[in-house]
Protein backbone atom coordinates (compact mmCIF):
# COMPACT_ATOMS: atom_id res chain seq x y z
CA UNK A 1 0.00 0.00 0.00
CA UNK A 2 1.33 3.44 -1.00
CA UNK A 3 -0.65 6.42 0.30
CA UNK A 4 0.03 9.87 -1.13
CA UNK A 5 -2.09 12.61 0.42
CA UNK A 6 -5.69 11.33 -0.02
CA UNK A 7 -5.03 8.64 -2.62
CA UNK A 8 -4.14 4.99 -1.92
CA UNK A 9 -2.37 2.81 -4.49
CA UNK A 10 -2.67 -0.89 -3.71
CA UNK A 11 -0.50 -3.55 -5.32
CA UNK A 12 -2.09 -6.94 -4.64
CA UNK A 13 0.07 -9.95 -5.53
CA UNK A 14 -1.58 -13.36 -5.48
CA UNK A 15 0.20 -16.69 -6.00
CA UNK A 16 -1.49 -19.82 -7.33
CA UNK A 17 0.29 -23.20 -7.33
CA UNK A 18 -0.91 -26.29 -9.17
CA UNK A 19 -0.09 -29.21 -6.81
CA UNK A 20 -1.47 -31.87 -9.17
CA UNK A 21 0.05 -33.76 -12.09
CA UNK A 22 -2.48 -32.30 -14.52
CA UNK A 23 -2.72 -28.98 -16.32
CA UNK A 24 -5.36 -26.90 -14.55
CA UNK A 25 -7.45 -23.76 -14.82
CA UNK A 26 -8.13 -21.70 -11.70
CA UNK A 27 -10.66 -19.09 -10.69
CA UNK A 28 -10.38 -16.88 -7.63
CA UNK A 29 -13.20 -14.69 -6.32
CA UNK A 30 -11.99 -11.76 -4.24
CA UNK A 31 -13.40 -8.55 -2.72
CA UNK A 32 -12.37 -5.00 -3.51
CA UNK A 33 -13.32 -1.64 -2.00
CA UNK A 34 -16.44 -0.18 -3.63
CA UNK A 35 -14.61 3.01 -4.65
CA UNK A 36 -11.58 1.21 -6.14
CA UNK A 37 -10.51 1.56 -9.78
CA UNK A 38 -8.34 -1.16 -11.37
CA UNK A 39 -5.21 0.38 -12.83
CA UNK A 40 -3.08 -2.50 -14.15
CA UNK A 41 -2.55 -6.26 -14.10
CA UNK A 42 0.51 -8.42 -14.79
CA UNK A 43 0.86 -12.20 -14.93
CA UNK A 44 4.24 -13.70 -13.98
CA UNK A 45 4.92 -17.24 -15.20
CA UNK A 46 8.52 -18.24 -14.52
CA UNK A 47 10.61 -15.68 -16.40
CA UNK A 48 7.68 -14.56 -18.56
CA UNK A 49 5.72 -11.40 -17.76
CA UNK A 50 2.33 -10.86 -19.42
CA UNK A 51 0.84 -7.38 -19.07
CA UNK A 52 -2.92 -7.02 -19.09
CA UNK A 53 -4.96 -4.65 -21.23
CA UNK A 54 -8.44 -3.26 -20.55
CA UNK A 55 -11.18 -4.45 -22.89
CA UNK A 56 -14.97 -4.39 -22.96
CA UNK A 57 -16.23 -7.32 -20.87
CA UNK A 58 -17.48 -9.52 -23.70
CA UNK A 59 -14.40 -8.90 -25.84
CA UNK A 60 -12.06 -9.59 -22.91
CA UNK A 61 -13.74 -12.91 -22.16
CA UNK A 62 -13.56 -13.91 -25.82
CA UNK A 63 -9.83 -13.11 -25.93
CA UNK A 64 -9.24 -15.13 -22.77
CA UNK A 65 -11.26 -18.16 -23.93
CA UNK A 66 -9.41 -18.17 -27.26
CA UNK A 67 -6.02 -18.19 -25.49
CA UNK A 68 -7.26 -20.85 -23.07
CA UNK A 69 -8.52 -23.12 -25.87
CA UNK A 70 -5.22 -22.86 -27.75
CA UNK A 71 -3.26 -23.98 -24.67
CA UNK A 72 -1.76 -20.58 -23.87
CA UNK A 73 -1.28 -19.33 -20.33
CA UNK A 74 -3.52 -16.36 -19.68
CA UNK A 75 -5.40 -14.48 -16.97
CA UNK A 76 -8.66 -12.56 -16.89
CA UNK A 77 -9.94 -10.14 -14.21
CA UNK A 78 -13.65 -9.31 -14.32
CA UNK A 79 -15.88 -7.10 -12.18
CA UNK A 80 -18.90 -9.10 -11.02
CA UNK A 81 -20.22 -6.45 -8.63
CA UNK A 82 -19.03 -3.03 -7.52
CA UNK A 83 -17.02 -4.70 -4.74
CA UNK A 84 -16.56 -8.23 -6.10
CA UNK A 85 -14.11 -9.40 -8.77
CA UNK A 86 -13.11 -12.74 -10.26
CA UNK A 87 -9.67 -13.70 -11.52
CA UNK A 88 -9.31 -16.62 -13.94
CA UNK A 89 -5.95 -18.22 -14.76
CA UNK A 90 -5.69 -20.71 -17.63
CA UNK A 91 -3.35 -23.61 -18.31
CA UNK A 92 -1.26 -23.75 -15.14
CA UNK A 93 1.33 -26.52 -15.58
CA UNK A 94 1.77 -29.32 -13.02
CA UNK A 95 3.80 -28.03 -10.05
CA UNK A 96 3.88 -24.51 -11.51
CA UNK A 97 3.33 -21.31 -9.53
CA UNK A 98 1.69 -18.35 -11.22
CA UNK A 99 1.82 -14.86 -9.70
CA UNK A 100 -0.84 -12.30 -10.59
CA UNK A 101 -0.32 -8.67 -9.62
CA UNK A 102 -3.34 -6.38 -9.59
CA UNK A 103 -2.93 -2.63 -9.01
CA UNK A 104 -5.88 -0.49 -8.04
CA UNK A 105 -6.48 3.03 -6.72
CA UNK A 106 -8.91 4.15 -4.05
CA UNK A 107 -9.59 7.34 -2.06
CA UNK A 108 -8.60 7.63 1.61
CA UNK A 109 -11.41 8.51 4.01
CA UNK A 110 -11.17 11.49 6.36
CA UNK A 111 -13.50 11.87 9.33
CA UNK A 112 -13.25 13.97 12.49
CA UNK A 113 -9.53 14.65 12.19
CA UNK A 114 -8.57 11.08 11.31
CA UNK A 115 -7.66 9.34 8.03
CA UNK A 116 -8.78 5.76 7.39
CA UNK A 117 -7.94 3.04 4.87
CA UNK A 118 -9.79 -0.28 4.58
CA UNK A 119 -8.77 -3.28 2.48
CA UNK A 120 -11.04 -6.37 2.37
CA UNK A 121 -9.29 -9.75 2.21
CA UNK A 122 -12.21 -12.19 2.31
CA UNK A 123 -15.84 -12.64 1.31
CA UNK A 124 -19.03 -13.23 3.22
CA UNK A 125 -21.73 -15.45 1.68
CA UNK A 126 -24.28 -13.45 -0.30
CA UNK A 127 -28.04 -13.73 -0.23
CA UNK A 128 -29.25 -15.31 -3.47
CA UNK A 129 -33.05 -14.96 -3.75
CA UNK A 130 -35.33 -16.15 -6.56
CA UNK A 131 -36.37 -19.35 -8.30
CA UNK A 132 -33.61 -21.80 -9.21
CA UNK A 133 -32.71 -22.24 -12.89
CA UNK A 134 -31.23 -25.71 -12.40
CA UNK A 135 -34.00 -27.33 -14.46
CA UNK A 136 -34.00 -24.61 -17.13
CA UNK A 137 -31.24 -25.88 -19.46
CA UNK A 138 -31.88 -23.27 -22.16
CA UNK A 139 -31.69 -20.40 -19.64
CA UNK A 140 -28.47 -21.80 -18.10
CA UNK A 141 -26.89 -22.14 -21.55
CA UNK A 142 -27.74 -18.53 -22.36
CA UNK A 143 -25.95 -17.30 -19.22
CA UNK A 144 -22.59 -18.16 -20.76
CA UNK A 145 -20.74 -19.16 -17.58
CA UNK A 146 -19.85 -22.42 -15.89
CA UNK A 147 -21.38 -23.32 -12.52
CA UNK A 148 -18.80 -23.99 -9.83
CA UNK A 149 -19.98 -22.27 -6.62
CA UNK A 150 -22.20 -23.43 -3.79
CA UNK A 151 -24.99 -21.08 -4.88
CA UNK A 152 -27.49 -21.64 -7.66
CA UNK A 153 -28.37 -19.44 -10.62
CA UNK A 154 -31.84 -17.99 -10.11
CA UNK A 155 -34.22 -15.77 -12.02
CA UNK A 156 -33.22 -12.86 -9.74
CA UNK A 157 -29.49 -13.66 -9.50
CA UNK A 158 -28.59 -15.40 -12.81
CA UNK A 159 -24.89 -15.56 -11.87
CA UNK A 160 -25.40 -16.91 -8.34
CA UNK A 161 -23.11 -19.90 -8.95
CA UNK A 162 -20.36 -17.61 -10.19
CA UNK A 163 -20.22 -15.35 -7.12
CA UNK A 164 -20.45 -18.09 -4.45
CA UNK A 165 -17.03 -19.78 -4.28
CA UNK A 166 -16.31 -22.63 -1.85
CA UNK A 167 -15.01 -21.28 1.47
CA UNK A 168 -13.20 -22.78 4.45
CA UNK A 169 -13.32 -21.78 8.12
CA UNK A 170 -9.84 -23.08 9.01
CA UNK A 171 -7.29 -21.95 6.41
CA UNK A 172 -4.32 -23.67 8.05
CA UNK A 173 -1.12 -22.50 6.41
CA UNK A 174 -2.83 -21.27 3.23
CA UNK A 175 -4.79 -18.10 2.49
CA UNK A 176 -2.27 -15.90 4.30
CA UNK A 177 -1.33 -12.32 3.49
CA UNK A 178 1.82 -10.23 3.95
CA UNK A 179 1.15 -6.51 4.25
CA UNK A 180 3.41 -3.44 4.02
CA UNK A 181 2.36 0.20 3.77
CA UNK A 182 4.00 3.55 3.07
CA UNK A 183 2.18 6.70 4.19
CA UNK A 184 3.27 9.99 2.61
CA UNK A 185 0.60 12.35 3.89
CA UNK A 186 2.61 15.60 4.10
CA UNK A 187 1.78 15.97 7.80
CA UNK A 188 3.40 14.93 11.06
CA UNK A 189 1.41 12.03 12.49
CA UNK A 190 0.45 11.64 16.11
CA UNK A 191 -0.50 7.98 15.79
CA UNK A 192 -0.99 5.09 13.36
CA UNK A 193 -3.29 2.35 14.63
CA UNK A 194 -5.08 -0.71 13.33
CA UNK A 195 -8.21 -2.01 15.07
CA UNK A 196 -7.99 -5.17 12.94
CA UNK A 197 -4.34 -6.30 13.25
CA UNK A 198 -1.25 -5.87 15.42
CA UNK A 199 1.13 -3.55 13.53
CA UNK A 200 4.52 -1.85 13.73
CA UNK A 201 5.03 1.68 12.40
CA UNK A 202 7.96 4.06 12.18
CA UNK A 203 8.96 7.32 10.53
CA UNK A 204 11.52 7.04 7.72
CA UNK A 205 12.76 10.20 5.98
CA UNK A 206 9.54 11.71 4.55
CA UNK A 207 7.08 8.87 5.12
CA UNK A 208 5.70 6.45 7.67
CA UNK A 209 6.22 2.71 7.22
CA UNK A 210 3.68 0.18 8.49
CA UNK A 211 3.79 -3.63 8.64
CA UNK A 212 2.22 -6.53 10.53
CA UNK A 213 3.92 -7.47 13.81
CA UNK A 214 3.70 -11.06 12.61
CA UNK A 215 5.23 -11.91 9.25
CA UNK A 216 1.82 -12.85 7.84
CA UNK A 217 -1.83 -12.94 8.84
CA UNK A 218 -4.84 -15.01 7.85
CA UNK A 219 -7.12 -13.57 5.18
CA UNK A 220 -10.23 -13.67 7.36
CA UNK A 221 -11.00 -9.97 7.94
CA UNK A 222 -10.54 -6.45 6.56
CA UNK A 223 -7.21 -4.70 7.02
CA UNK A 224 -7.99 -1.33 8.63
CA UNK A 225 -5.47 1.48 9.15
CA UNK A 226 -6.12 4.83 10.85
CA UNK A 227 -3.70 7.71 11.19
CA UNK A 228 -4.15 11.02 13.00
CA UNK A 229 -2.05 14.15 12.40
CA UNK A 230 -0.46 16.05 15.26
CA UNK A 231 -2.93 18.81 16.26
CA UNK A 232 -1.67 22.33 15.53
CA UNK A 233 -2.75 25.79 16.67
CA UNK A 234 -2.54 27.17 13.12
CA UNK A 235 -3.89 25.77 9.83
CA UNK A 236 -1.34 23.57 8.06
CA UNK A 237 -1.13 22.74 4.36
CA UNK A 238 0.57 19.94 2.42
CA UNK A 239 1.81 20.35 -1.15
CA UNK A 240 2.57 17.43 -3.50
CA UNK A 241 4.28 17.39 -6.88
CA UNK A 242 4.82 14.54 -9.32
CA UNK A 243 7.16 14.06 -12.28
CA UNK A 244 6.04 11.71 -15.04
Amino acid sequence: LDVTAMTARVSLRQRFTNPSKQWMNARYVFPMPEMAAVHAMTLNIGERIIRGVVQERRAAKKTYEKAKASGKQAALVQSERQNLFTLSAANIAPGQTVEVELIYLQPVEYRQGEFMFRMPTTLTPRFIPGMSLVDDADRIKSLGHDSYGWGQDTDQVPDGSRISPPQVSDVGDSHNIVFNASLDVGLELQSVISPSHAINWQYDSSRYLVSFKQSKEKMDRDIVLRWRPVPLQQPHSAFFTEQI
Side-chain angles (χ1 to χ4, degrees):
L1 164 68
D2 288 305
V3 174
T4 302
M6 298 288 288
T7 302
R9 180 182 184 274
V10 179
S11 174
L12 180 63
R13 296 187 185 93
Q14 303 162 98
R15 293 185 180 91
F16 303 88
T17 300
N18 178 4
S20 73
K21 296 182 180 179
Q22 307 293 326
W23 288 76
M24 295 187 71
N25 303 317
R27 181 174 295 126
Y28 180 57
V29 181
F30 62 98
M32 286 185 65
E34 290 189 359
M35 298 297 292
V38 175
H39 177 64
M41 183 192 75
T42 58
L43 177 66
N44 296 292
I45 308 171
E47 297 181 354
R48 295 182 61 203
I49 299 178
I50 302 173
R51 302 192 184 280
V53 295
V54 178
Q55 293 183 353
E56 187 271 337
R57 183 184 180 92
R58 190 170 298 178
K61 186 175 181 181
K62 185 177 181 180
T63 301
Y64 171 76
E65 292 295 342
K66 183 178 179 180
K68 176 181 173 181
S70 62
K72 295 181 180 179
Q73 292 178 315
L76 174 68
V77 173
Q78 292 178 285
S79 172
E80 308 297 340
R81 299 292 188 275
Q82 189 174 5
N83 61 351
L84 183 67
F85 282 63
T86 57
L87 186 151
S88 304
N91 299 311
I92 304 175
Q96 186 179 56
T97 296
V98 174
E99 182 180 275
V100 181
E101 180 179 18
L102 191 70
I103 298 176
Y104 63 87
L105 308 174
Q106 70 179 89
V108 173
E109 293 185 36
Y110 179 76
R111 296 180 183 175
Q112 299 180 340
E114 187 177 64
F115 297 88
M116 189 184 78
F117 165 83
R118 179 184 296 273
M119 174 183 173
T121 69
T122 189
L123 302 171
T124 53
R126 292 180 175 241
F127 176 53
I128 303 178
M131 298 294 293
S132 174
L133 299 178
V134 170
D135 297 326
D136 192 342
D138 293 335
R139 183 75 178 272
I140 292 177
K141 186 177 180 180
S142 68
L143 295 175
H145 68 257
D146 51 338
S147 300
Y148 68 93
W150 55 262
Q152 293 185 350
D153 298 327
T154 69
D155 56 352
Q156 293 186 43
V157 189
D159 60 350
S161 64
R162 184 175 175 83
I163 62 171
S164 56
Q167 294 179 285
V168 292
S169 57
D170 183 9
V171 299
D173 196 40
S174 67
H175 296 73
N176 293 315
I177 186 169
V178 176
F179 177 78
N180 293 285
S182 170
L183 310 179
D184 181 10
V185 297
L187 301 168
E188 184 181 356
L189 299 184
Q190 182 182 46
S191 63
V192 181
I193 64 172
S194 172
S196 60
H197 297 80
I199 62 170
N200 292 318
W201 67 281
Q202 63 178 353
Y203 181 71
D204 178 42
S205 183
S206 62
R207 57 184 182 167
Y208 293 84
L209 304 179
V210 185
S211 61
F212 287 152
K213 280 192 174 181
Q214 300 187 45
S215 59
K216 56 187 178 181
E217 293 278 2
K218 293 182 178 180
M219 298 175 67
D220 58 1
R221 73 197 72 179
D222 290 359
I223 298 174
V224 180
L225 283 184
R226 295 176 180 165
W227 55 94
R228 183 179 291 273
V230 173
L232 301 172
Q233 294 293 331
Q234 299 295 327
H236 187 74
S237 63
F239 181 64
F240 294 86
T241 63
E242 184 179 16
Q243 292 183 347
I244 301 177

